[in-house]
């Protein structure tokens, strides 16, 4: 039968719309994961044992629970306790909280790679803990963890494909819609694979540029 270019042209708006939703959700979920992950990392290194234990439980629960189960609990189980969110909101929150457990461990390893003497010297100079974290520890930590951070963003994008199961109109769901309507498989899935590849390559490129910048 051959490769039908006209089919892709007709369904390009649907595929690109799904790609846009995927991009938006991944950006928002990634931002949430970074912010929450930073606080989780600080909690894991806290002097307070209850805080450390709470953060450790969070990390272990999130890492031990499949992302799809977490999304099901939030989307289908949430209304039973009065929490009703749109599928897109569940996607952002679910992926963000799930990713935060992994980002938290990455940040923690980065922080612990910095010699303690630098923080002690900053304290001697009268800097507050917040200033030490923001001006000394985070800049140095970022140089160490950028490759791992970039890789985790890539994983987050790949895992976003499961959002189609909770009816989010992202790239995978719209591709499946195209398959169901046209009974074609080669063209839709190749197009989806190409769009995912473009997004992941863009993340890798940005990560590599940031790595060069912080090193210089």
């Amino acid at each position: 039968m051959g490769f039908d270019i006209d089919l892709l042209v007709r369904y390009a708006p649907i595929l690109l719309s799904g790609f846009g939703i995927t991009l938006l959700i991944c950006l928002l979920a990634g931002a949430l994961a970074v912010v929450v992950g930073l606080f989780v990392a600080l909690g894991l290194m806290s002097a307070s044992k209850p805080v450390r234990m709470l953060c450790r439980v969070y990390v272990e629960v999130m890492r031990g629970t499949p992302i799809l189960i977490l999304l099901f609990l939030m989307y289908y189980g949430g209304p039973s306790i009065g929490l009703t969110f749109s599928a897109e909101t569940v996607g952002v929150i679910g992926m963000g909280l799930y990713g935060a457990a992994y980002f938290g461990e990455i940040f923690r390893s980065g922080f612990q790679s910095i010699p303690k003497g630098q923080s002690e010297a900053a304290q001697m100079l009268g800097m507050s803990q917040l200033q030490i974290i923001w001006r000394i520890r985070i800049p140095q930590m970022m140089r160490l963890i950028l490759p791992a951070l970039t890789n985790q963003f890539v994983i987050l994008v790949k895992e976003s494909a499961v959002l189609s199961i909770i009816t989010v109109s992202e790239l995978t769901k719209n591709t499946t819609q195209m398959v169901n309507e046209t009974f074609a498989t080669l063209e839709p899935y190749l197009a989806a694979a190409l769009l995912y590849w473009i997004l992941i390559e863009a993340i890798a490129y940005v990560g590599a540029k940031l790595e060069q910048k912080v090193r210089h």
Side-chain angles (χ1 to χ4, degrees):
M1 294 179 62
F3 191 86
D4 191 349
I5 295 294
D6 291 336
L7 187 66
L8 290 178
V9 172
R10 291 203 310 273
Y11 277 86
I14 293 177
L15 294 176
L16 292 176
S17 173
F19 179 75
I21 295 296
T22 293
L23 178 59
L24 178 61
I25 288 179
C26 287
L27 286 174
L28 294 176
L32 178 61
V34 167
V35 173
V36 176
L38 182 57
F39 282 103
V40 168
L42 295 174
L44 290 171
M45 299 181 298
S46 172
S48 170
K49 186 175 180 180
V51 172
R52 291 200 309 271
M53 290 181 62
L54 182 63
C55 291
R56 176 51 59 190
V57 169
Y58 171 81
V59 169
E60 296 304 325
V61 168
M62 286 297 174
R63 292 198 305 184
T65 305
I67 179 64
L68 187 57
I69 299 300
L70 178 62
L71 294 172
F72 279 162
L73 284 172
M74 294 180 64
Y75 188 62
Y76 296 112
S80 65
I81 57 173
L83 297 175
T84 303
F85 300 107
S86 67
E88 290 78 11
T89 302
V90 168
V92 171
I93 297 174
M95 290 186 60
L97 295 180
Y98 181 77
Y102 294 90
F103 283 118
E105 285 288 21
I106 292 172
F107 289 142
R108 180 189 61 80
S109 65
F111 280 133
Q112 291 182 337
S113 299
I114 301 171
K116 292 183 179 180
Q118 296 188 17
S119 297
E120 294 171 354
Q123 286 180 327
M124 293 292 291
L125 293 173
M127 295 179 68
S128 66
Q129 284 296 324
L130 184 60
Q131 288 176 318
I132 292 171
I133 291 171
W134 184 252
R135 299 178 62 182
I136 296 177
R137 301 181 71 184
I138 288 181
Q140 293 191 69
M141 178 262 292
M142 289 302 294
R143 286 197 292 269
L144 299 171
I145 67 166
L146 264 176
L149 210 59
T150 301
N151 185 62
Q152 194 58 47
F153 271 112
V154 168
I155 292 173
L156 205 62
V157 170
K158 291 182 178 180
E159 289 180 339
S160 71
V162 303
L163 297 178
S164 61
I165 300 177
I166 60 168
T167 72
V168 178
S169 297
E170 44 75 67
L171 180 55
T172 299
K173 186 176 187 301
N174 286 9
T175 302
T176 303
Q177 175 187 337
M178 179 181 173
V179 171
N180 292 336
E181 291 179 1
T182 64
F183 300 103
T185 54
L186 179 63
E187 295 87 347
Y189 288 127
L190 276 178
L194 177 61
L195 290 172
Y196 276 117
W197 178 81
I198 290 172
L199 180 54
I200 289 170
E201 285 299 308
I203 293 172
Y205 177 80
V206 171
K209 288 296 182 182
L210 287 174
E211 190 174 351
Q212 290 178 0
K213 184 175 181 179
V214 297
R215 284 183 176 178
H216 293 290

